[in-house]
């Protein structure tokens, strides 16, 4: 093997190592940026639990199941968020989070709708008003966290699809990160290259 060939192979190996390290760094930043979003989702779970508990004295008998279902949905969403973070968002972890958050959002909206029909100057109403304020504030924080996550995910995904870095991604099993787009509830769609609806 002549010197020219050795030089070419050395350059190629050096480039592949650099590409691998860059992809690894971008993927780590994407995973790290999910942390604040997960934190805000957990705060929303806590608010949903507190809201369901505070609303129970105001609800009639046929409205009580909504509060119980909301408590279950908040707990399931919390478990899904913890699992997604623990697994580094591998596999269908974010899809599970999306389904859980969609269910939670639907039930939360249902409970708020029920409460809008009730008026009382006594009991837990001031607490409910404060919890609803917290929910609205969290919605804005979730929106900002989602934008930060999307920015990092897009940088990582772009690097995955730039040739010849694509070859390194295929060789070491790097996979695209899902993008999240804003809607009334957190849902996740199928194609990583397209935004997945999020809060």
């Amino acid at each position: 093997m002549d010197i020219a060939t050795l030089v070419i192979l050395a350059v190629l190996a050096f480039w592949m190592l650099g590409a691998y390290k860059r992809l690894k760094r971008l993927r780590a930043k994407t995973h790290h940026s999910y942390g604040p979003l997960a934190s805000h989702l957990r705060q929303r779970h806590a608010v949903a639990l507190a809201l369901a508990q505070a609303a129970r004295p105001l609800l009639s008998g046929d409205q009580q199941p909504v509060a119980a279902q909301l408590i279950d949905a908040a707990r399931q969403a919390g478990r899904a968020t913890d699992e997604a973070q623990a697994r580094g968002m591998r596999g269908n972890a974010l899809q599970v989070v999306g389904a859980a958050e969609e269910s939670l959002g639907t039930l939360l909206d249902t409970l708020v709708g029920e409460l809008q029909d009730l008026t009382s100057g006594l009991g837990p109403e001031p607490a409910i008003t404060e919890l609803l304020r917290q929910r609205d504030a969290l919605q804005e924080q979730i929106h900002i966290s989602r934008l930060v996550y999307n920015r990092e995910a897009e940088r990582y995904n772009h690097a995955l699809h730039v040739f010849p870095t694509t070859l390194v991604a295929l060789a070491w099993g790097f996979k695209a990160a899902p993008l999240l787009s804003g809607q009334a509830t957190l849902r996740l769609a199928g194609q990583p290259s397209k935004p997945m609806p999020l809060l």
Side-chain angles (χ1 to χ4, degrees):
M1 190 176 294
D2 58 28
I3 295 178
T5 302
L6 289 174
V7 170
I8 292 174
L9 290 175
V11 170
L12 180 60
F14 180 78
W15 172 83
M16 291 182 67
L17 180 61
Y20 171 80
K21 288 184 176 180
R22 179 169 182 264
L23 289 177
K24 192 174 180 180
R25 183 178 69 253
L26 291 172
R27 183 176 63 183
K29 289 183 69 176
T30 300
H31 290 177
H32 179 73
S33 69
Y34 177 71
L37 176 58
S39 176
H40 293 143
L41 290 177
R42 289 188 186 97
Q43 291 177 55
R44 192 172 84 122
H45 304 158
V47 167
L49 287 169
L51 185 60
Q53 295 289 0
R56 275 180 161 170
L58 292 178
L59 299 175
S60 63
D62 60 341
Q63 295 171 321
Q64 289 293 329
V66 176
Q69 292 168 6
L70 179 58
I71 290 172
D72 288 340
R75 289 172 177 166
Q76 290 176 13
R79 287 192 293 270
T81 300
D82 292 343
E83 180 69 13
Q85 202 163 21
R87 294 173 56 192
M89 301 182 294
R90 293 183 179 89
N92 66 341
L94 280 183
Q95 281 75 9
V96 174
V97 171
E101 291 293 337
E102 180 175 8
S103 177
L104 174 62
T106 299
L107 288 167
L108 192 53
D109 290 343
T110 300
L111 179 62
V112 171
E114 298 282 5
L115 291 173
Q116 287 176 344
D117 296 331
L118 302 174
T119 56
S120 173
L122 304 175
E125 188 172 344
I128 289 174
T129 300
E130 171 60 20
L131 288 168
L132 292 176
R133 185 198 65 78
Q134 292 179 23
R135 183 198 66 156
D136 293 341
L138 282 170
Q139 293 292 92
E140 180 62 25
Q141 292 173 338
I142 289 170
H143 171 71
I144 294 172
S145 296
R146 173 185 58 81
L147 294 178
V148 173
Y149 166 83
N150 273 353
R151 182 186 62 201
E152 298 301 335
E154 285 174 345
R155 288 176 179 171
Y156 168 63
N157 290 346
H158 176 73
L160 288 178
H161 295 97
V162 174
F163 186 84
T165 306
T166 303
L167 301 177
V168 176
L170 290 173
W172 273 279
F174 287 91
K175 295 182 179 179
L179 301 181
L180 307 169
S181 65
Q183 294 293 344
T185 58
L186 190 156
R187 306 182 186 90
L188 287 93
Q191 296 299 323
S193 60
K194 296 180 180 179
M196 297 180 177
L198 179 74
L199 289 164

